[in-house]
PDB file of all heavy atoms in Angstrom:
ATOM      1  N   ASP A 255      23.377 -12.738  18.018  1.00  0.00           N
ATOM      2  CA  ASP A 255      23.207 -11.456  17.324  1.00  0.00           C
ATOM      3  C   ASP A 255      21.732 -11.156  17.084  1.00  0.00           C
ATOM      4  O   ASP A 255      21.008 -11.992  16.522  1.00  0.00           O
ATOM      5  CB  ASP A 255      23.965 -11.486  15.992  1.00  0.00           C
ATOM      6  CG  ASP A 255      25.450 -11.276  16.205  1.00  0.00           C
ATOM      7  OD1 ASP A 255      25.811 -10.412  17.034  1.00  0.00           O
ATOM      8  OD2 ASP A 255      26.255 -11.984  15.565  1.00  0.00           O
ATOM      9  N   ILE A 256      21.332  -9.967  17.508  1.00  0.00           N
ATOM     10  CA  ILE A 256      19.913  -9.591  17.454  1.00  0.00           C
ATOM     11  C   ILE A 256      19.756  -8.321  16.622  1.00  0.00           C
ATOM     12  O   ILE A 256      20.303  -7.272  16.967  1.00  0.00           O
ATOM     13  CB  ILE A 256      19.369  -9.329  18.885  1.00  0.00           C
ATOM     14  CG1 ILE A 256      19.670 -10.535  19.799  1.00  0.00           C
ATOM     15  CG2 ILE A 256      17.880  -9.010  18.848  1.00  0.00           C
ATOM     16  CD1 ILE A 256      19.401 -10.281  21.281  1.00  0.00           C
ATOM     17  N   ALA A 257      19.001  -8.413  15.537  1.00  0.00           N
ATOM     18  CA  ALA A 257      18.760  -7.237  14.678  1.00  0.00           C
ATOM     19  C   ALA A 257      17.471  -6.550  15.117  1.00  0.00           C
ATOM     20  O   ALA A 257      16.402  -7.175  15.152  1.00  0.00           O
ATOM     21  CB  ALA A 257      18.648  -7.672  13.213  1.00  0.00           C
ATOM     22  N   ASP A 306      15.079  -4.095   6.513  1.00  0.00           N
ATOM     23  CA  ASP A 306      16.240  -4.957   6.265  1.00  0.00           C
ATOM     24  C   ASP A 306      16.411  -6.068   7.321  1.00  0.00           C
ATOM     25  O   ASP A 306      17.231  -6.966   7.130  1.00  0.00           O
ATOM     26  CB  ASP A 306      17.535  -4.127   6.226  1.00  0.00           C
ATOM     27  CG  ASP A 306      17.626  -3.249   4.979  1.00  0.00           C
ATOM     28  OD1 ASP A 306      16.897  -3.526   4.010  1.00  0.00           O
ATOM     29  OD2 ASP A 306      18.425  -2.297   4.994  1.00  0.00           O
ATOM     30  N   VAL A 307      15.680  -5.983   8.422  1.00  0.00           N
ATOM     31  CA  VAL A 307      15.871  -6.962   9.504  1.00  0.00           C
ATOM     32  C   VAL A 307      15.767  -8.399   8.979  1.00  0.00           C
ATOM     33  O   VAL A 307      16.610  -9.250   9.274  1.00  0.00           O
ATOM     34  CB  VAL A 307      14.837  -6.737  10.643  1.00  0.00           C
ATOM     35  CG1 VAL A 307      14.840  -7.916  11.610  1.00  0.00           C
ATOM     36  CG2 VAL A 307      15.129  -5.440  11.385  1.00  0.00           C
ATOM     37  N   ALA A 308      14.747  -8.658   8.178  1.00  0.00           N
ATOM     38  CA  ALA A 308      14.516 -10.029   7.698  1.00  0.00           C
ATOM     39  C   ALA A 308      15.669 -10.533   6.823  1.00  0.00           C
ATOM     40  O   ALA A 308      15.970 -11.729   6.815  1.00  0.00           O
ATOM     41  CB  ALA A 308      13.196 -10.108   6.939  1.00  0.00           C
ATOM     42  N   ILE A 309      16.324  -9.620   6.111  1.00  0.00           N
ATOM     43  CA  ILE A 309      17.460 -10.017   5.268  1.00  0.00           C
ATOM     44  C   ILE A 309      18.620 -10.473   6.147  1.00  0.00           C
ATOM     45  O   ILE A 309      19.234 -11.517   5.907  1.00  0.00           O
ATOM     46  CB  ILE A 309      17.916  -8.835   4.367  1.00  0.00           C
ATOM     47  CG1 ILE A 309      16.774  -8.398   3.446  1.00  0.00           C
ATOM     48  CG2 ILE A 309      19.168  -9.210   3.570  1.00  0.00           C
ATOM     49  CD1 ILE A 309      17.070  -7.143   2.641  1.00  0.00           C
ATOM     50  N   TYR A 310      18.911  -9.689   7.197  1.00  0.00           N
ATOM     51  CA  TYR A 310      19.995 -10.068   8.114  1.00  0.00           C
ATOM     52  C   TYR A 310      19.712 -11.436   8.743  1.00  0.00           C
ATOM     53  O   TYR A 310      20.605 -12.263   8.871  1.00  0.00           O
ATOM     54  CB  TYR A 310      20.145  -9.024   9.229  1.00  0.00           C
ATOM     55  CG  TYR A 310      20.891  -7.780   8.800  1.00  0.00           C
ATOM     56  CD1 TYR A 310      20.225  -6.741   8.153  1.00  0.00           C
ATOM     57  CD2 TYR A 310      22.241  -7.650   9.036  1.00  0.00           C
ATOM     58  CE1 TYR A 310      20.903  -5.604   7.749  1.00  0.00           C
ATOM     59  CE2 TYR A 310      22.939  -6.513   8.641  1.00  0.00           C
ATOM     60  CZ  TYR A 310      22.260  -5.495   7.992  1.00  0.00           C
ATOM     61  OH  TYR A 310      22.938  -4.383   7.591  1.00  0.00           O
ATOM     62  N   VAL A 311      18.468 -11.638   9.136  1.00  0.00           N
ATOM     63  CA  VAL A 311      18.127 -12.888   9.828  1.00  0.00           C
ATOM     64  C   VAL A 311      18.110 -14.057   8.835  1.00  0.00           C
ATOM     65  O   VAL A 311      18.651 -15.129   9.118  1.00  0.00           O
ATOM     66  CB  VAL A 311      16.774 -12.756  10.569  1.00  0.00           C
ATOM     67  CG1 VAL A 311      16.356 -14.091  11.175  1.00  0.00           C
ATOM     68  CG2 VAL A 311      16.879 -11.689  11.664  1.00  0.00           C
ATOM     69  N   GLU A 312      17.538 -13.862   7.672  1.00  0.00           N
ATOM     70  CA  GLU A 312      17.469 -14.957   6.698  1.00  0.00           C
ATOM     71  C   GLU A 312      18.874 -15.440   6.328  1.00  0.00           C
ATOM     72  O   GLU A 312      19.130 -16.636   6.205  1.00  0.00           O
ATOM     73  CB  GLU A 312      16.732 -14.507   5.435  1.00  0.00           C
ATOM     74  CG  GLU A 312      16.589 -15.627   4.410  1.00  0.00           C
ATOM     75  CD  GLU A 312      15.826 -15.183   3.165  1.00  0.00           C
ATOM     76  OE1 GLU A 312      15.992 -14.031   2.733  1.00  0.00           O
ATOM     77  OE2 GLU A 312      15.056 -16.004   2.639  1.00  0.00           O
ATOM     78  N   ALA A 316      22.283 -12.079  11.444  1.00  0.00           N
ATOM     79  CA  ALA A 316      21.691 -11.968  12.777  1.00  0.00           C
ATOM     80  C   ALA A 316      21.031 -13.316  13.075  1.00  0.00           C
ATOM     81  O   ALA A 316      20.512 -13.962  12.170  1.00  0.00           O
ATOM     82  CB  ALA A 316      20.656 -10.857  12.814  1.00  0.00           C
ATOM     83  N   ASP A 317      21.074 -13.730  14.363  1.00  0.00           N
ATOM     84  CA  ASP A 317      20.417 -14.995  14.726  1.00  0.00           C
ATOM     85  C   ASP A 317      18.914 -14.799  14.859  1.00  0.00           C
ATOM     86  O   ASP A 317      18.133 -15.653  14.461  1.00  0.00           O
ATOM     87  CB  ASP A 317      20.986 -15.499  16.060  1.00  0.00           C
ATOM     88  CG  ASP A 317      22.467 -15.801  15.956  1.00  0.00           C
ATOM     89  OD1 ASP A 317      22.825 -16.652  15.124  1.00  0.00           O
ATOM     90  OD2 ASP A 317      23.268 -15.168  16.684  1.00  0.00           O
ATOM     91  N   ILE A 318      18.555 -13.676  15.472  1.00  0.00           N
ATOM     92  CA  ILE A 318      17.130 -13.350  15.606  1.00  0.00           C
ATOM     93  C   ILE A 318      16.939 -11.873  15.297  1.00  0.00           C
ATOM     94  O   ILE A 318      17.909 -11.119  15.181  1.00  0.00           O
ATOM     95  CB  ILE A 318      16.568 -13.684  17.023  1.00  0.00           C
ATOM     96  CG1 ILE A 318      17.283 -12.858  18.101  1.00  0.00           C
ATOM     97  CG2 ILE A 318      16.672 -15.170  17.319  1.00  0.00           C
ATOM     98  CD1 ILE A 318      16.659 -12.998  19.493  1.00  0.00           C
ATOM     99  N   GLY A 319      15.675 -11.460  15.196  1.00  0.00           N
ATOM    100  CA  GLY A 319      15.400 -10.055  14.936  1.00  0.00           C
ATOM    101  C   GLY A 319      13.910  -9.803  15.079  1.00  0.00           C
ATOM    102  O   GLY A 319      13.130 -10.731  15.336  1.00  0.00           O
ATOM    103  N   VAL A 320      13.542  -8.548  14.904  1.00  0.00           N
ATOM    104  CA  VAL A 320      12.126  -8.202  14.969  1.00  0.00           C
ATOM    105  C   VAL A 320      11.761  -7.464  13.677  1.00  0.00           C
ATOM    106  O   VAL A 320      12.359  -6.444  13.339  1.00  0.00           O
ATOM    107  CB  VAL A 320      11.815  -7.342  16.214  1.00  0.00           C
ATOM    108  CG1 VAL A 320      10.381  -6.836  16.167  1.00  0.00           C
ATOM    109  CG2 VAL A 320      12.052  -8.165  17.482  1.00  0.00           C
ATOM    110  N   ALA A 321      10.780  -8.023  12.992  1.00  0.00           N
ATOM    111  CA  ALA A 321      10.369  -7.475  11.693  1.00  0.00           C
ATOM    112  C   ALA A 321       8.852  -7.353  11.648  1.00  0.00           C
ATOM    113  O   ALA A 321       8.131  -8.117  12.313  1.00  0.00           O
ATOM    114  CB  ALA A 321      10.841  -8.402  10.567  1.00  0.00           C
ATOM    115  N   GLY A 322       8.376  -6.417  10.853  1.00  0.00           N
ATOM    116  CA  GLY A 322       6.930  -6.246  10.680  1.00  0.00           C
ATOM    117  C   GLY A 322       6.358  -7.374   9.823  1.00  0.00           C
ATOM    118  O   GLY A 322       7.017  -7.869   8.909  1.00  0.00           O
ATOM    119  N   ILE A 325       6.577  -6.886   6.059  1.00  0.00           N
ATOM    120  CA  ILE A 325       7.814  -7.275   5.369  1.00  0.00           C
ATOM    121  C   ILE A 325       7.846  -8.796   5.183  1.00  0.00           C
ATOM    122  O   ILE A 325       8.265  -9.300   4.132  1.00  0.00           O
ATOM    123  CB  ILE A 325       9.049  -6.810   6.188  1.00  0.00           C
ATOM    124  CG1 ILE A 325       9.044  -5.277   6.328  1.00  0.00           C
ATOM    125  CG2 ILE A 325      10.349  -7.299   5.575  1.00  0.00           C
ATOM    126  CD1 ILE A 325       9.130  -4.517   5.011  1.00  0.00           C
ATOM    127  N   LEU A 326       7.376  -9.536   6.191  1.00  0.00           N
ATOM    128  CA  LEU A 326       7.398 -10.999   6.095  1.00  0.00           C
ATOM    129  C   LEU A 326       6.448 -11.466   4.987  1.00  0.00           C
ATOM    130  O   LEU A 326       6.755 -12.400   4.241  1.00  0.00           O
ATOM    131  CB  LEU A 326       7.016 -11.635   7.436  1.00  0.00           C
ATOM    132  CG  LEU A 326       7.924 -11.233   8.623  1.00  0.00           C
ATOM    133  CD1 LEU A 326       7.455 -11.910   9.912  1.00  0.00           C
ATOM    134  CD2 LEU A 326       9.383 -11.597   8.344  1.00  0.00           C
ATOM    135  N   PRO A 331      10.679 -14.177   3.586  1.00  0.00           N
ATOM    136  CA  PRO A 331      12.020 -14.684   3.891  1.00  0.00           C
ATOM    137  C   PRO A 331      11.914 -16.061   4.541  1.00  0.00           C
ATOM    138  O   PRO A 331      10.920 -16.368   5.203  1.00  0.00           O
ATOM    139  CB  PRO A 331      12.578 -13.656   4.880  1.00  0.00           C
ATOM    140  CG  PRO A 331      11.366 -13.051   5.524  1.00  0.00           C
ATOM    141  CD  PRO A 331      10.305 -13.038   4.471  1.00  0.00           C
ATOM    142  N   VAL A 333      12.611 -17.802   7.219  1.00  0.00           N
ATOM    143  CA  VAL A 333      12.967 -17.684   8.641  1.00  0.00           C
ATOM    144  C   VAL A 333      11.851 -18.306   9.467  1.00  0.00           C
ATOM    145  O   VAL A 333      10.762 -18.559   8.957  1.00  0.00           O
ATOM    146  CB  VAL A 333      13.116 -16.191   9.061  1.00  0.00           C
ATOM    147  CG1 VAL A 333      14.266 -15.523   8.309  1.00  0.00           C
ATOM    148  CG2 VAL A 333      11.817 -15.408   8.857  1.00  0.00           C
ATOM    149  N   PHE A 334      12.149 -18.570  10.751  1.00  0.00           N
ATOM    150  CA  PHE A 334      11.084 -18.996  11.657  1.00  0.00           C
ATOM    151  C   PHE A 334      10.416 -17.762  12.239  1.00  0.00           C
ATOM    152  O   PHE A 334      11.099 -16.865  12.717  1.00  0.00           O
ATOM    153  CB  PHE A 334      11.638 -19.839  12.812  1.00  0.00           C
ATOM    154  CG  PHE A 334      12.088 -21.216  12.425  1.00  0.00           C
ATOM    155  CD1 PHE A 334      13.297 -21.716  12.896  1.00  0.00           C
ATOM    156  CD2 PHE A 334      11.301 -22.020  11.611  1.00  0.00           C
ATOM    157  CE1 PHE A 334      13.721 -22.995  12.547  1.00  0.00           C
ATOM    158  CE2 PHE A 334      11.714 -23.296  11.255  1.00  0.00           C
ATOM    159  CZ  PHE A 334      12.923 -23.779  11.720  1.00  0.00           C
ATOM    160  N   GLU A 335       9.081 -17.744  12.203  1.00  0.00           N
ATOM    161  CA  GLU A 335       8.353 -16.678  12.874  1.00  0.00           C
ATOM    162  C   GLU A 335       8.018 -17.204  14.262  1.00  0.00           C
ATOM    163  O   GLU A 335       7.290 -18.184  14.397  1.00  0.00           O
ATOM    164  CB  GLU A 335       7.086 -16.353  12.075  1.00  0.00           C
ATOM    165  CG  GLU A 335       6.439 -15.083  12.530  1.00  0.00           C
ATOM    166  CD  GLU A 335       5.194 -14.738  11.729  1.00  0.00           C
ATOM    167  OE1 GLU A 335       5.230 -14.790  10.481  1.00  0.00           O
ATOM    168  OE2 GLU A 335       4.180 -14.433  12.384  1.00  0.00           O
ATOM    169  N   MET A 336       8.603 -16.574  15.298  1.00  0.00           N
ATOM    170  CA  MET A 336       8.543 -17.153  16.643  1.00  0.00           C
ATOM    171  C   MET A 336       7.412 -16.599  17.511  1.00  0.00           C
ATOM    172  O   MET A 336       6.849 -17.312  18.324  1.00  0.00           O
ATOM    173  CB  MET A 336       9.865 -16.888  17.392  1.00  0.00           C
ATOM    174  CG  MET A 336      11.130 -17.242  16.652  1.00  0.00           C
ATOM    175  SD  MET A 336      11.445 -18.995  16.643  1.00  0.00           S
ATOM    176  CE  MET A 336      11.807 -19.294  18.360  1.00  0.00           C
ATOM    177  N   LEU A 337       7.153 -15.288  17.379  1.00  0.00           N
ATOM    178  CA  LEU A 337       6.228 -14.671  18.346  1.00  0.00           C
ATOM    179  C   LEU A 337       5.671 -13.362  17.793  1.00  0.00           C
ATOM    180  O   LEU A 337       6.406 -12.574  17.203  1.00  0.00           O
ATOM    181  CB  LEU A 337       7.016 -14.403  19.643  1.00  0.00           C
ATOM    182  CG  LEU A 337       6.291 -13.757  20.820  1.00  0.00           C
ATOM    183  CD1 LEU A 337       5.243 -14.722  21.399  1.00  0.00           C
ATOM    184  CD2 LEU A 337       7.286 -13.365  21.920  1.00  0.00           C
ATOM    185  N   LEU A 339       4.633  -9.870  18.741  1.00  0.00           N
ATOM    186  CA  LEU A 339       4.907  -8.971  19.877  1.00  0.00           C
ATOM    187  C   LEU A 339       3.745  -8.002  20.141  1.00  0.00           C
ATOM    188  O   LEU A 339       3.748  -7.275  21.133  1.00  0.00           O
ATOM    189  CB  LEU A 339       6.199  -8.184  19.646  1.00  0.00           C
ATOM    190  CG  LEU A 339       7.478  -9.027  19.518  1.00  0.00           C
ATOM    191  CD1 LEU A 339       8.676  -8.118  19.267  1.00  0.00           C
ATOM    192  CD2 LEU A 339       7.718  -9.857  20.772  1.00  0.00           C
ATOM    193  N   ALA A 430       4.474  -6.410  14.828  1.00  0.00           N
ATOM    194  CA  ALA A 430       5.885  -6.807  14.822  1.00  0.00           C
ATOM    195  C   ALA A 430       6.043  -8.255  15.289  1.00  0.00           C
ATOM    196  O   ALA A 430       5.360  -8.696  16.217  1.00  0.00           O
ATOM    197  CB  ALA A 430       6.678  -5.883  15.738  1.00  0.00           C
ATOM    198  N   ARG A 431       6.939  -8.986  14.631  1.00  0.00           N
ATOM    199  CA  ARG A 431       7.147 -10.405  14.959  1.00  0.00           C
ATOM    200  C   ARG A 431       8.610 -10.673  15.295  1.00  0.00           C
ATOM    201  O   ARG A 431       9.511 -10.118  14.654  1.00  0.00           O
ATOM    202  CB  ARG A 431       6.780 -11.296  13.752  1.00  0.00           C
ATOM    203  CG  ARG A 431       5.408 -11.030  13.142  1.00  0.00           C
ATOM    204  CD  ARG A 431       4.310 -11.374  14.136  1.00  0.00           C
ATOM    205  NE  ARG A 431       3.049 -10.752  13.775  1.00  0.00           N
ATOM    206  CZ  ARG A 431       2.026 -11.383  13.224  1.00  0.00           C
ATOM    207  NH1 ARG A 431       2.128 -12.663  12.939  1.00  0.00           N
ATOM    208  NH2 ARG A 431       0.913 -10.737  12.954  1.00  0.00           N
ATOM    209  N   LEU A 432       8.828 -11.565  16.277  1.00  0.00           N
ATOM    210  CA  LEU A 432      10.173 -12.064  16.555  1.00  0.00           C
ATOM    211  C   LEU A 432      10.460 -13.165  15.536  1.00  0.00           C
ATOM    212  O   LEU A 432       9.655 -14.090  15.376  1.00  0.00           O
ATOM    213  CB  LEU A 432      10.230 -12.642  17.977  1.00  0.00           C
ATOM    214  CG  LEU A 432      11.553 -13.289  18.390  1.00  0.00           C
ATOM    215  CD1 LEU A 432      12.652 -12.234  18.551  1.00  0.00           C
ATOM    216  CD2 LEU A 432      11.394 -14.089  19.680  1.00  0.00           C
ATOM    217  N   ILE A 433      11.577 -13.037  14.828  1.00  0.00           N
ATOM    218  CA  ILE A 433      11.933 -14.058  13.834  1.00  0.00           C
ATOM    219  C   ILE A 433      13.314 -14.632  14.150  1.00  0.00           C
ATOM    220  O   ILE A 433      14.129 -13.982  14.810  1.00  0.00           O
ATOM    221  CB  ILE A 433      11.910 -13.501  12.386  1.00  0.00           C
ATOM    222  CG1 ILE A 433      12.846 -12.291  12.229  1.00  0.00           C
ATOM    223  CG2 ILE A 433      10.492 -13.138  11.968  1.00  0.00           C
ATOM    224  CD1 ILE A 433      12.988 -11.802  10.789  1.00  0.00           C
ATOM    225  N   ALA A 434      13.562 -15.855  13.685  1.00  0.00           N
ATOM    226  CA  ALA A 434      14.857 -16.494  13.948  1.00  0.00           C
ATOM    227  C   ALA A 434      15.396 -17.115  12.675  1.00  0.00           C
ATOM    228  O   ALA A 434      14.628 -17.644  11.849  1.00  0.00           O
ATOM    229  CB  ALA A 434      14.706 -17.570  15.023  1.00  0.00           C
ATOM    230  N   ASN A 435      16.707 -17.075  12.534  1.00  0.00           N
ATOM    231  CA  ASN A 435      17.380 -17.769  11.437  1.00  0.00           C
ATOM    232  C   ASN A 435      17.222 -19.280  11.677  1.00  0.00           C
ATOM    233  O   ASN A 435      17.378 -19.753  12.808  1.00  0.00           O
ATOM    234  CB  ASN A 435      18.855 -17.370  11.416  1.00  0.00           C
ATOM    235  CG  ASN A 435      19.645 -18.190  10.418  1.00  0.00           C
ATOM    236  OD1 ASN A 435      20.177 -19.245  10.764  1.00  0.00           O
ATOM    237  ND2 ASN A 435      19.721 -17.724   9.186  1.00  0.00           N
ATOM    238  N   LYS A 436      16.935 -20.030  10.638  1.00  0.00           N
ATOM    239  CA  LYS A 436      16.628 -21.459  10.814  1.00  0.00           C
ATOM    240  C   LYS A 436      17.820 -22.250  11.336  1.00  0.00           C
ATOM    241  O   LYS A 436      17.677 -23.100  12.217  1.00  0.00           O
ATOM    242  CB  LYS A 436      16.097 -22.046   9.501  1.00  0.00           C
ATOM    243  CG  LYS A 436      14.692 -21.546   9.201  1.00  0.00           C
ATOM    244  CD  LYS A 436      14.076 -22.267   8.028  1.00  0.00           C
ATOM    245  CE  LYS A 436      12.592 -21.916   7.932  1.00  0.00           C
ATOM    246  NZ  LYS A 436      11.963 -22.502   6.748  1.00  0.00           N
ATOM    247  N   ILE A 446      17.514 -18.795  22.427  1.00  0.00           N
ATOM    248  CA  ILE A 446      16.432 -18.200  21.617  1.00  0.00           C
ATOM    249  C   ILE A 446      15.070 -18.474  22.270  1.00  0.00           C
ATOM    250  O   ILE A 446      14.224 -17.583  22.378  1.00  0.00           O
ATOM    251  CB  ILE A 446      16.484 -18.707  20.153  1.00  0.00           C
ATOM    252  CG1 ILE A 446      17.780 -18.209  19.473  1.00  0.00           C
ATOM    253  CG2 ILE A 446      15.262 -18.237  19.366  1.00  0.00           C
ATOM    254  CD1 ILE A 446      18.021 -18.722  18.065  1.00  0.00           C
TER     255      ILE A 446
END
Side-chain angles (χ1 to χ4, degrees):
D255 282 319
I256 307 170
D306 289 342
V307 168
I309 299 173
Y310 281 84
V311 175
E312 182 179 37
D317 297 301
I318 62 172
V320 172
I325 299 298
L326 302 180
V333 296
F334 288 135
E335 192 179 313
M336 310 283 292
L337 180 68
L339 298 179
R431 309 295 162 104
L432 176 70
I433 57 173
N435 173 270
K436 288 188 170 175
I446 295 175

